[in-house]
Amino acid sequence: MTYPAVPPKTFTQMQELGHDLFVSGLISSHGGNVSMLDDSGKNIFITRSGSALGRLRDGDIVTVGYDYPDSNEAALAADAEASIELVVHRALYHAVPETYAVVHAHSLFTTLLSLKQDSIEPLDSESKHFIPSVPVLDVAETIASAEVARLLPQVILDTGCPIAVVRGHGPFAVGRTLEEAWRYVSILEMSSRMIHEYRR
């Protein structure tokens, strides 16, 4: 089995988004992960495990199959190179319609609020327009979690909200494009910071 190389345009899009996530303070140096579904719908481009999203370089984005690998050695090897959150990304692509990109961040104020609340209700009008109520998912295992992969897509489907937060870990957003998914992460973090400042 041979997976297609990452197209230059896709690499540039993911590289620019990774840089934006880092300079916006939404991730630490090696935190977070992003992915895109290819045009055929058969492959996923995702950041490599341990990559620095703020300065993605050749080899830092890998191609894996849309489907879950069985015993195929090449497919298993590709999965092993990908972000450890691949299990969640793949579940979102499978379950949530019109998902062509996934962004996962460790945004500070969003994560802090998730420790205290079962949902995040924005105060400002712009955030309310896009994400009126953001669910917080409480699970036993938060990182590379089969539990998150099982529950998170259903939470997004049930609420109709394109972003949800794993308590103590951070948000996952879906979108038709990377920019759309990033927009939800950015709006939620700004809103969470506003809530924090308002309560001081």
Side-chain angles (χ1 to χ4, degrees), residues 29-101:
S29 64
H30 292 72
N33 34 83
V34 300
S35 68
M36 294 177 66
L37 192 64
D38 77 350
D39 292 339
S40 73
K42 296 179 180 179
N43 303 290
I44 298 168
F45 304 118
I46 187 167
T47 45
R48 182 185 298 276
S49 179
S51 59
L53 266 65
R55 53 182 186 189
L56 291 172
R57 296 170 179 159
D58 288 344
D60 284 338
I61 299 171
V62 298
T63 308
V64 298
Y66 171 81
D67 291 321
Y68 299 88
D70 41 31
S71 58
N72 183 280
E73 291 185 10
L76 291 170
D79 274 24
E81 291 186 13
S83 165
I84 59 174
E85 297 295 350
L86 171 60
V87 62
V88 180
H89 287 243
R90 192 177 264 142
L92 289 167
Y93 287 118
H94 276 251
V96 182
E98 297 190 32
T99 294
Y100 300 98

Side-chain angles (χ1 to χ4, degrees), residues 150-162:
R150 178 172 57 85
L151 297 176
L152 186 67
Q154 194 60 50
V155 166
I156 288 175
L157 289 170
D158 288 346
T159 61
C161 184

Side-chain angles (χ1 to χ4, degrees), residues 3-199:
Y3 290 116
V6 180
K9 181 179 179 181
T10 299
F11 179 84
T12 299
Q13 287 177 310
M14 295 179 72
Q15 184 182 49
E16 290 177 348
L17 182 69
H19 177 263
D20 289 342
L21 285 169
F22 177 68
V23 299
S24 298
L26 297 171
I27 56 172
S28 60
S29 64
H30 292 72
N33 34 83
V34 300
S35 68
M36 294 177 66
L37 192 64
D38 77 350
D39 292 339
S40 73
K42 296 179 180 179
N43 303 290
I44 298 168
F45 304 118
I46 187 167
T47 45
R48 182 185 298 276
S49 179
S51 59
L53 266 65
R55 53 182 186 189
L56 291 172
R57 296 170 179 159
D58 288 344
D60 284 338
I61 299 171
V62 298
T63 308
V64 298
Y66 171 81
D67 291 321
Y68 299 88
D70 41 31
S71 58
N72 183 280
E73 291 185 10
L76 291 170
D79 274 24
E81 291 186 13
S83 165
I84 59 174
E85 297 295 350
L86 171 60
V87 62
V88 180
H89 287 243
R90 192 177 264 142
L92 289 167
Y93 287 118
H94 276 251
V96 182
E98 297 190 32
T99 294
Y100 300 98
V102 177
V103 174
H104 170 51
H106 300 153
S107 29
L108 174 62
F109 289 96
T110 297
T111 305
L112 282 172
L113 282 186
S114 78
L115 296 172
K116 304 176 181 180
Q117 303 177 186
D118 294 328
S119 65
I120 298 175
E121 314 281 339
L123 300 175
D124 59 297
S125 56
E126 181 186 13
S127 298
K128 286 180 179 179
H129 175 73
F130 289 101
I131 47 173
S133 180
V134 178
V136 174
L137 181 63
D138 189 16
V139 292
E141 297 293 331
T142 58
I143 298 174
S145 169
E147 186 180 12
V148 173
R150 178 172 57 85
L151 297 176
L152 186 67
Q154 194 60 50
V155 166
I156 288 175
L157 289 170
D158 288 346
T159 61
C161 184
I163 184 168
V165 187
V166 178
R167 175 163 287 147
H169 185 45
F172 283 87
V174 300
R176 289 163 292 186
T177 65
L178 271 181
E179 184 175 354
E180 183 179 23
W182 172 47
R183 184 179 195 178
Y184 297 133
V185 172
S186 179
I187 289 173
L188 177 58
E189 177 64 2
M190 182 65 70
S191 179
S192 296
R193 182 171 184 173
M194 189 177 295
I195 292 169
H196 174 80
E197 294 296 324
Y198 180 78
R199 291 176 177 173

